[in-house]
Amino acid sequence: MTSLLQTASLSSLSSSRSLLPNPSSRSRIPFPKGIRCSVGEPLKYANGKPFIPLLRDEMLPNFLTRTTHAVNAASKNDTRLRIFSGTANPALSQEIACYMGLELGKIKIKRFADGEIYVQLQESVRGCDVYLVQPTCPPANENLMELLIMIDACRRASAKNITAVIPYFGYARADRKTQGRESIAAKLVANLITEAGANRVLACDLHSGQSMGYFDIPVDHVYGQPVILDYLASKTICSDDLVVVSPDVGGVARARAFAKKLSDAPLAIVDKRRHGHNVAEVMNLIGDVKGKVAVMVDDMIDTAGTISKGAELLHQEGAREVYACSTHAVFSPPAIERLSSGLFQEVIITNTIPVSEQNYFPQLTVLSVANLLGETIWRVHDDCSGGFEPYSTLGID
């Protein structure tokens, strides 16, 4: 009798287990008749790939029904990807995490009375792919040091891969020697990030392309142009009236690429002579802007001296409206006064650098690059390329 009960129990348990999908052969399990998966809700993502459950809880035996707590725990731990945010731009980090359907990792960052930075991860990252979101925006030295300590903390916590997500790379303008006995700070910062333990860098709109060569680790360079182009395309501006303007000779390649994507608009160049750091003097204009809508394109706006003097020249040459487009809004004084003086119809920037509320003015429009960076993180994590539509303009190789 006992053996019969054991046999019946084993047979019942075996039949119950047969209802559960085998992870190794999930694709070979046939759908039961009359059962359809509802995909009306947003799909849950595991490692960047949609996961549609084959069985519902009501199909399982009572003792195998998953509780809500168990489901949440499983969905939370089903990926080895972790995103941590520094204190430089937590709002952007939260937007990236929301786009990816993940939660920001728990991290403790504080400063001692003497200014030293303390970092402690509040969760395990052993064997995980860790992404640290921290732009080195002002105060540049504070945020850079914080990033280095975060990388070191992850390395000592046995993270498998550490990617420094740097929406704005400070010291990028110090990428070459223009005079004798100058430092190349961009190379120095690249060495610091590499030696701290980063395995990869994800940067957005570097000041110059050669900065990627300063790193001895892979660099994924994405561009904020698609975000700004999509916004401009939504505005009712006739393509025949557009002209893209480069505020200096060094940005001609950037402006030409921007103009090609903007209905192949004509190009104009502002020729300037710089007499000192953050001081610019406009000399003349190359191209025709009379009666046209001028779109000035640059990678960053610092004191706004270059772009405001260029706007004055464009108005003198007969431009009907002037738009300023830039990925990085550094906004060092007196940038706000110059940009809000009435020279610009609209100033379009992105949120790679946080803009404080007191720096907002009526002509300012802030676009988010969270989806751009979030999609790039997924593709880096899944070892995919960004060279196919609809993300062919991401600039990922």
Side-chain angles (χ1 to χ4, degrees):
M1 180 65 68
T2 303
S3 60
L4 290 175
L5 289 175
Q6 291 177 346
T7 303
S9 177
L10 291 174
S11 175
S12 176
L13 182 60
S14 175
S15 63
S16 299
R17 288 176 175 174
S18 64
L19 293 173
L20 296 176
N22 183 4
S24 62
S25 60
R26 187 185 301 276
S27 60
R28 296 193 296 272
I29 296 179
F31 281 99
K33 294 183 179 180
I35 298 176
R36 295 184 180 181
C37 294
S38 175
V39 294
E41 301 176 352
L43 300 179
K44 295 183 179 180
Y45 287 84
N47 292 335
K49 301 174 183 178
F51 166 72
I52 303 176
L54 296 180
L55 296 177
R56 298 178 180 175
D57 287 341
E58 55 265 24
M59 298 171 54
L60 301 177
N62 292 333
F63 67 94
L64 290 177
T65 301
R66 298 168 295 177
T67 62
T68 303
H69 176 75
V71 172
N72 292 338
S75 62
K76 182 179 179 180
N77 297 320
D78 61 358
T79 177
R80 307 298 294 174
L81 189 152
R82 299 288 186 271
I83 301 177
F84 293 93
S85 173
T87 60
N89 199 344
L92 175 60
S93 305
Q94 186 62 56
E95 289 184 34
I96 294 174
C98 289
Y99 171 82
M100 301 179 67
L102 301 174
E103 295 181 0
L104 285 177
K106 297 179 181 179
I107 187 172
K108 181 179 181 181
I109 302 175
K110 69 177 184 179
R111 283 166 172 77
F112 293 105
D114 61 352
E116 294 181 3
I117 302 173
Y118 173 82
V119 174
Q120 182 188 26
L121 303 179
Q122 301 289 299
E123 60 184 69
S124 174
V125 296
R126 184 179 298 275
C128 295
D129 288 340
V130 178
Y131 293 81
L132 306 175
V133 183
Q134 175 79 343
T136 55
C137 52
N141 298 331
E142 287 279 324
N143 292 328
L144 174 60
M145 194 63 196
E146 183 179 304
L147 174 62
L148 298 177
I149 298 176
M150 290 171 63
I151 295 173
D152 183 70
C154 294
R155 180 175 63 87
R156 297 181 186 278
S158 301
K160 181 180 180 182
N161 291 306
I162 303 171
T163 300
V165 182
I166 310 175
Y168 170 72
F169 181 67
Y171 289 102
R173 286 174 284 185
D175 55 0
R176 64 190 185 277
K177 293 180 67 174
T178 58
Q179 300 177 14
R181 299 176 296 280
E182 282 186 337
S183 67
I184 304 179
K187 172 59 176 173
L188 174 62
V189 173
N191 289 341
L192 289 173
I193 294 173
T194 304
E195 292 300 322
N199 304 108
R200 180 182 291 269
V201 168
L202 170 57
C204 182
D205 266 337
L206 292 171
H207 184 65
S208 58
Q210 65 260 30
S211 297
M212 290 185 287
Y214 295 157
F215 291 89
D216 296 327
I217 54 178
V219 177
D220 291 305
H221 186 205
V222 299
Y223 299 89
Q225 282 187 0
V227 178
I228 299 175
L229 285 168
D230 287 344
Y231 177 76
L232 288 175
S234 66
K235 302 182 74 65
T236 56
I237 302 176
C238 180
S239 59
D240 295 334
D241 295 337
L242 280 175
V243 57
V244 176
V245 181
S246 174
D248 54 20
V249 177
V252 171
R254 183 186 302 107
R256 185 186 295 115
F258 194 90
K260 185 177 181 180
K261 294 181 176 66
L262 201 62
S263 302
D264 202 12
L267 182 67
I269 304 170
V270 176
D271 181 32
K272 70 176 183 180
R273 295 292 183 269
R274 187 181 294 275
H275 298 289
H277 296 295
N278 297 330
V279 178
E281 180 181 353
V282 173
M283 300 300 292
N284 51 22
L285 177 69
I286 304 172
D288 182 25
V289 298
K290 187 175 182 179
K292 293 183 177 293
V293 177
V295 179
M296 302 189 72
V297 181
D298 207 351
D299 64 319
M300 70 175 70
I301 299 177
D302 190 356
T303 61
T306 298
I307 204 164
S308 62
K309 289 182 180 295
E312 291 177 1
L313 180 63
L314 293 176
H315 282 293
Q316 293 173 8
E317 295 292 331
R320 189 169 81 243
E321 294 177 351
V322 178
Y323 288 80
C325 301
S326 177
T327 304
H328 308 300
V330 181
F331 284 176
S332 302
I336 303 302
E337 290 77 5
R338 289 171 172 171
L339 295 174
S340 60
S341 61
L343 291 171
F344 300 96
Q345 180 74 16
E346 191 172 1
V347 178
I348 306 168
I349 61 172
T350 69
N351 61 344
T352 56
I353 298 176
V355 181
S356 58
E357 292 185 2
Q358 60 266 26
N359 287 338
Y360 278 94
F361 52 93
Q363 297 88 354
L364 183 65
T365 299
V366 182
L367 307 177
S368 178
V369 294
N371 294 3
L372 181 74
L373 294 176
E375 182 66 26
T376 306
I377 291 174
W378 270 132
R379 298 189 178 212
V380 171
H381 178 67
D382 287 341
D383 296 327
C384 294
S385 172
F388 53 90
E389 294 292 342
Y391 296 95
S392 60
T393 56
L394 290 181
I396 315 170
D397 297 327

